[in-house]
Structure formats: C-alpha cells, structure tokens
Amino acid sequence: MKPIADKISKKLSLARSFEKAHFSEIQRQERPGFHLSPAVGWLNDPNGFSFYKGEYHLFYQYNPYSTRWDAMHWGHWTSKDLIHWEYHEASFAPDEDYETGVFSGTATTDKDGSHLIMYTADYTKAPDYSTDLSGKNGVRRETQCIARGDGSQYQKYEGNPVISEKELLEEFTMEDFRDPKLWIGKDGKYYAVTVARKKSDNFGAALLFSSENAVEWQYLDTIRENDGNFGGMWECPDFFFLQGHPVLSLSVMNMKNTSPLFRNGNCTVAFVGEEAKVEPDQESIVDLIEKTMKNAKPQALDLGFDFYAPQTMERDGRTIMVGWMQAPEAGGNAPENAKWYGQMSFPRELFFRGDRLCQHPISEIQKLYKDRVELEISCEKEEKSYAELEGKLLDLSLQISAPKDCLKYQESSEQKVVSGVPKAFQMKFAKQGEIYVLCTYDFVSGILTVDRSHARRSASICEVRRIYVGCSEELSLRLLLDRFSFELFVNDGEQVLSGTLYELPEEAKEISFQGEGIHLQVEKHGLKEIELGAL
C-alpha cells in the first residue's frame, strides 16, 4: 500500500483547529456515560463502520461549528473493543468543487491494504431569487465518490466522482442519489448499493452497482422499489447476509403506516429475504437478489422515538449494528446552550430467532459492569420504588409474569370477557418526583407503551410510542439507561424502542414498579463510564 499523502485542505484544517479548541470545554460528566457523542457540535449518521488494522473504525456525519445540521464533515473514532473509544480529528470536509457536503458512506479494507471509503458528495446551490423568482436556477446534485486512507489520514480520489449521471439510469434523479454501502465480493469484484429517487412517483429505490477496480462502475440491478407502502424517499441502505438470509435495511422517510408493527415518520425497516440455498460466492449476487429479495418480508428495526441510518459490520462471525439515536425531524431541538447534539446507539449484535431478525447489546457491555443486584419482587397495587435499583447508568433486565390463567377468555356472542381482573404492569425509570419515563404493558391487549412526556423535554415532537408485543402471561424487558438516552429491548430483542432524554436532571435515578399480582425477577448492573481518548 502506498503511503497516504499529507494533503490537508484549508476547510479541513479549519475544522480540526476548531474542534481541538472547543473539545476540552466539554467535561466528561456532560457527555453520555457509554454512548458516543460528537467531539463538538452536531452528529448524525454513522459512517464507515469497519475493522481495519486491528481497530474498529466509526465515522460520523458531523458539523463541528454548530449543534444544528449544516455543511457535512466526517468525524472519526477508533476502538480496540467496541467499548472504549478514541476521538480523532475530522477526516473529511466539503473541500472539493463537486461537493458542498460530504454525505454518508461506508468503508472496507481494499485489496492493496488501504482503507477504502465510498461516500456521497452532495452539491447544493441555493436558487438566486434576485435573477429568477421561480428558483429554477438552484442546483442539487449527488454523486458517489471514493477515498483511501491508512486509518489516520485520508485522501479523496482525484478522479471523483466515480458514479454520476453516466452510470445512473434515466428514470432516477441526481437530486436524491446517495449513501453507498460498499463491499468486496468473494468473486473479487466491488459492489455498492445506493438509494435513488424515481422521477415517475418520487419514491425511493435501492440500486446495485459493480466494479472491477472501484473506479469504473456499472449499474446491475434494482434490488427493491418503494411502491408507496414504505414512505417516500429512502436513505442509508445496508445490505448483508446473516445466517444465510440476505437483508436490506433502509431508513424510510415520511412513513405513513397504520400497522402496529411499524410506525409513522422517519424510521428504519429491514427487508429480510428467504434463506439462500447456496453460498453467495457460488452464484452471482444478481441471481441471489432475484431469487430472494424481490419478495423479502419487511420488519421494523426500532419502533422507538430516536433511531435512524444504522450501519452494520461483520467481525468474528458477528454482525454488529450502530444507529444514530435521533429522529431527523428533531434536528432543531438541541437543548439551549448545548455544546454537542446527537449520539450513537450502543452497538447491537443481530441474529435470527426463527424468521425474526432480533438484536441485543453486544456482550462486551459486561466489561462495564461494576455491581450486580438480583431481586424477586411481587408488585403491589400502589407504585413502589427500590433503592437497590437506582442508577443513571445501568443495564436492567426484567422477567415479568402475570398470574396464571389471567388471559383465559369466556366466549360470548358480543364480547370476550377476561376471567379474573385484567392485569397491567407499569415501570417508571429515570425518575425524580414527577419527572420520569413511563413504560406499561397490558397483558390483555398485548400493547407495550413508552411515554416520555414527563421527562422534562422543552421540545415535543413525539412523546408516546405504542407497539404490539402480543398477549402473553410472560414478558422480558432489558433497559440500557444512560444520562441522555435509553434503549429498551423487548423479549430478548425481538423488538426495540430507543429514545433520547437530553434534559433529565442527573438526580433522576429512581426505578419504580406497579401492578397487583405481577411477579418480577430483576437483575441490575450498574455501568462504568467508557474511556474516551481526547483529540
């Protein structure tokens, strides 16, 4: 591998100087305990999640100058263990004539040993209304570009962009054509999945491209087209094989869905294909897509408030996912005087249980355990708190059991009557007086509800999520609670709800339960702060 030239543009140098000057102004206790936040300013999509030269690399969409979205840079972390991370200076700035923003992309180890990155260059020129009141002289153009690095310094390819109008089919617009997922196939070819917007109906589609050399690309196939049932435009595609199943995950914009298995707004959906009968290297990727992905079944990845643009990487037989813990529509809602805004989910391992794509926190979280509490609790009619469970950084697991036979029905001509008293479970966490997050489960309806309307939020976008878990006398919950967020895993990761809690007081540490006749087995681990290496 040739050494990476030490060529740094003025824009990148300015960004690095700014972040170094202001990074030290943020105290450790002002950051999440075990979730990643930007060096300074704004963070959104995870980028370039990969393993290179013995380290995990995670980049991120980044505006160091403000806690609002603007001209996108790339920030950068590395880790030896996916738990403790080092901050690095910004890797990319929008410093070429074909880009006003360095948008999302992915990374892999190239054949020559370099760290190969593929990203979207967004070029946007606002309309000049002084010369054209129609605004038709505005420009928006997105192209795909590559860069190479050694894990520290990166240089953009002089021949960028590598996928532009010439390679994109006429039926798609260049205004929304972005977010390449890059990999090298077992056949030695380079593959990339991007999304693009169809001119005919403005809906998104996922497109597959290939290359022999990472520079000259050709269109191969359309993996999936939006028929209007999954929002409008799509973003941030990821494509991978897991336990023989091809999986296409997408971030869906403006979802309108009445099913209890999905949710409205900007959300994440995975299309899971049937298990492939042959290994991916034994027939072409196009043939596999044709056979397995056209009728793939959709599944929500996270039904909470804040989860978007996830990326996966494979290492040691595991598929690990990280997502941006924020709803795009909440972009302008940074708390007043915030020094940073945006955080990543804790890394999750993906796996199948039957045909259900599930996820749970990576096992490395155990490195952060500092104590253990086990309790058996018989809940009461009145709410009760437990001092042993208090904490702001914790991993809390609950096995919840209702009295036997509480769900037996007596059929009548008009309605179903529940024998005994209808049972519901309630938990409040991050609680201090009338400040809390409320989680309830109705054993009869099968509805799980998370309500953060009492979490002292100055901006109200969405405060309540209700999901259908199913009617059962048993339920398991696992809560990862941090200073500014929570992640709630239902029934060993069959469903997940994530949310941010930026304005909770540090003292909001109480945990309470309520539900007459309901039995709990509780295991709680307090968590240490992760180590964060300075710039």
Side-chain angles (χ1 to χ4, degrees):
M1 182 183 72
K2 295 180 180 179
I4 303 299
D6 189 19
K7 176 186 173 184
I8 301 175
S9 70
K10 182 178 180 180
K11 283 188 176 180
L12 184 57
S13 179
L14 285 172
R16 289 176 172 180
S17 296
F18 185 89
E19 63 185 355
K20 287 181 180 179
H22 295 280
F23 179 83
S24 61
E25 296 175 0
I26 305 175
Q27 301 302 307
R28 181 65 187 90
Q29 65 269 20
E30 296 179 283
R31 294 188 181 275
F34 58 99
H35 290 80
L36 288 171
S37 58
V40 293
W42 164 276
L43 168 155
N44 59 290
D45 305 356
N47 291 158
F49 190 26
S50 54
F51 188 81
Y52 179 71
K53 285 188 175 179
E55 291 186 310
Y56 296 94
H57 290 255
L58 181 57
F59 302 82
Y60 55 97
Q61 294 282 273
Y62 181 37
N63 176 22
Y65 303 112
S66 169
T67 53
R68 292 177 180 264
W69 187 95
D70 207 323
M72 284 291 95
H73 296 57
W74 273 33
H76 186 195
W77 302 288
T78 61
S79 174
K80 299 287 188 183
D81 60 2
L82 288 172
I83 297 292
H84 306 291
W85 295 84
E86 295 281 338
Y87 281 94
H88 295 270
E89 56 193 5
S91 294
F92 296 121
D95 48 21
E96 300 292 345
D97 58 9
Y98 50 80
E99 59 192 17
T100 52
V102 184
F103 278 17
S104 292
T106 49
T108 190
T109 301
D110 204 357
K111 302 170 189 178
D112 65 356
S114 64
H115 203 201
L116 176 63
I117 288 174
M118 192 173 195
Y119 71 94
T120 293
D122 177 87
Y123 178 79
T124 301
K125 180 181 179 182
D128 184 357
Y129 293 103
S130 65
T131 59
D132 182 1
L133 293 177
S134 70
K136 291 182 178 179
N137 56 351
V139 176
R140 174 83 185 278
R141 181 174 182 265
E142 295 183 335
T143 56
Q144 315 316 315
C145 301
I146 60 173
R148 295 183 185 275
D150 57 9
S152 177
Q153 300 296 328
Y154 293 84
Q155 290 296 325
K156 298 169 185 174
Y157 173 55
E158 292 182 355
N160 279 336
V162 296
I163 307 180
S164 57
E165 292 91 341
K166 184 177 69 173
E167 293 79 19
L168 184 63
L169 299 186
E170 176 62 28
E171 65 193 85
F172 299 103
T173 174
M174 291 296 296
E175 293 177 2
D176 288 298
F177 171 46
R178 55 182 175 270
D179 306 339
K181 166 61 186 282
L182 170 70
W183 76 95
I184 301 174
K186 293 184 179 180
D187 57 5
K189 294 182 180 179
Y190 298 84
Y191 293 95
V193 173
T194 71
V195 287
R197 179 163 57 85
K198 296 180 287 180
K199 293 178 180 178
S200 60
D201 54 20
N202 289 323
F203 292 152
L207 313 181
L208 178 66
F209 293 84
S210 73
S211 174
E212 297 286 345
N213 55 16
V215 172
E216 300 166 305
W217 291 82
Q218 63 177 353
Y219 166 85
L220 286 185
D221 196 14
T222 297
I223 296 179
R224 186 96 185 191
E225 289 188 39
N226 186 5
D227 58 6
N229 288 317
F230 293 93
M233 178 56 186
W234 290 344
E235 297 187 293
C236 303
D238 198 349
F239 185 75
F240 55 92
F241 282 86
L242 178 63
Q243 296 171 225
H245 292 267
V247 179
L248 171 67
S249 77
L250 295 160
S251 291
V252 175
M253 302 179 72
N254 305 318
M255 181 84 151
K256 300 174 183 177
N257 195 295
T258 58
S259 166
L261 301 178
F262 296 95
R263 72 167 181 83
N264 295 334
N266 296 307
C267 56
T268 53
V269 175
F271 292 93
V272 179
E274 295 180 0
E275 186 175 359
K277 302 302 181 184
V278 296
E279 292 297 319
D281 60 336
Q282 292 180 319
E283 66 175 314
S284 77
I285 190 73
V286 175
D287 290 339
L288 278 176
I289 288 169
E290 290 289 344
K291 291 178 180 179
T292 61
M293 288 303 296
K294 298 299 183 181
N295 298 311
K297 296 180 180 179
Q299 174 187 321
L301 277 176
D302 193 302
L303 287 165
F305 306 94
D306 298 291
F307 189 84
Y308 201 73
Q311 280 198 0
T312 63
M313 60 90 62
E314 298 177 26
R315 179 68 181 167
D316 296 330
R318 298 189 298 172
T319 298
I320 300 168
M321 179 175 72
V322 171
W324 174 37
M325 285 188 70
Q326 188 164 303
E329 54 265 44
N333 294 320
E336 189 176 359
N337 300 320
K339 300 173 185 176
W340 60 269
Y341 188 47
Q343 54 194 310
M344 296 301 178
S345 69
F346 189 78
R348 305 173 183 178
E349 182 177 354
L350 301 180
F351 63 97
F352 278 103
R353 183 180 300 117
D355 60 357
R356 180 76 186 176
L357 180 61
C358 301
Q359 46 196 303
H360 55 56
I362 57 171
S363 59
E364 285 91 336
I365 195 171
Q366 296 175 28
K367 295 181 180 180
L368 301 178
Y369 287 175
K370 64 179 183 179
D371 58 44
R372 178 178 180 178
V373 175
E374 291 185 277
L375 294 177
E376 287 202 22
I377 296 173
S378 293
C379 293
E380 301 174 5
K381 185 177 181 179
E382 302 300 325
E383 177 186 351
K384 184 177 179 180
S385 298
Y386 295 84
E388 307 97 309
L389 302 179
E390 286 187 0
K392 200 59 179 293
L393 278 62
L394 56 83
D395 183 353
L396 180 74
S397 295
L398 306 176
Q399 295 295 325
I400 307 164
S401 303
K404 289 184 178 180
D405 300 332
C406 78
L407 301 180
K408 282 187 176 179
Y409 293 117
Q410 299 174 356
E411 298 289 348
S412 71
S413 58
E414 296 182 357
Q415 62 181 347
K416 291 181 177 180
V417 180
V418 181
S419 65
V421 180
K423 302 296 179 180
F425 166 75
Q426 172 181 295
M427 170 175 65
K428 291 180 181 177
F429 61 87
K431 184 176 185 297
Q432 182 192 35
E434 295 304 310
I435 299 171
Y436 55 83
V437 180
L438 174 65
C439 176
T440 60
Y441 175 62
D442 188 314
F443 290 90
V444 178
S445 68
I447 297 295
L448 180 78
T449 303
V450 177
D451 181 347
R452 63 175 181 179
S453 61
H454 294 271
R456 208 180 74 164
R457 288 164 46 79
S458 58
S460 180
I461 298 295
C462 176
E463 303 295 6
V464 180
R465 291 288 187 207
R466 295 182 179 89
I467 68 170
Y468 181 71
V469 175
C471 299
S472 174
E473 295 171 357
E474 304 284 338
L475 178 75
S476 72
L477 297 177
R478 184 176 180 185
L479 171 68
L480 297 190
L481 180 62
D482 205 340
R483 290 191 179 106
F484 308 107
S485 69
F486 67 89
E487 297 175 75
L488 187 67
F489 298 81
V490 183
N491 287 333
D492 195 24
E494 290 185 357
Q495 293 170 293
V496 189
L497 298 98
S498 301
T500 55
L501 303 169
Y502 282 107
E503 294 166 282
L504 277 174
E506 178 67 23
E507 297 75 23
K509 299 179 179 180
E510 189 178 338
I511 306 281
S512 70
F513 305 118
Q514 185 176 352
E516 185 177 8
I518 293 171
H519 183 263
L520 303 180
Q521 288 185 306
V522 184
E523 183 176 333
K524 173 241 179 177
H525 295 273
L527 299 177
K528 296 177 288 187
E529 290 184 339
I530 62 174
E531 297 171 8
L532 295 172
L535 284 170

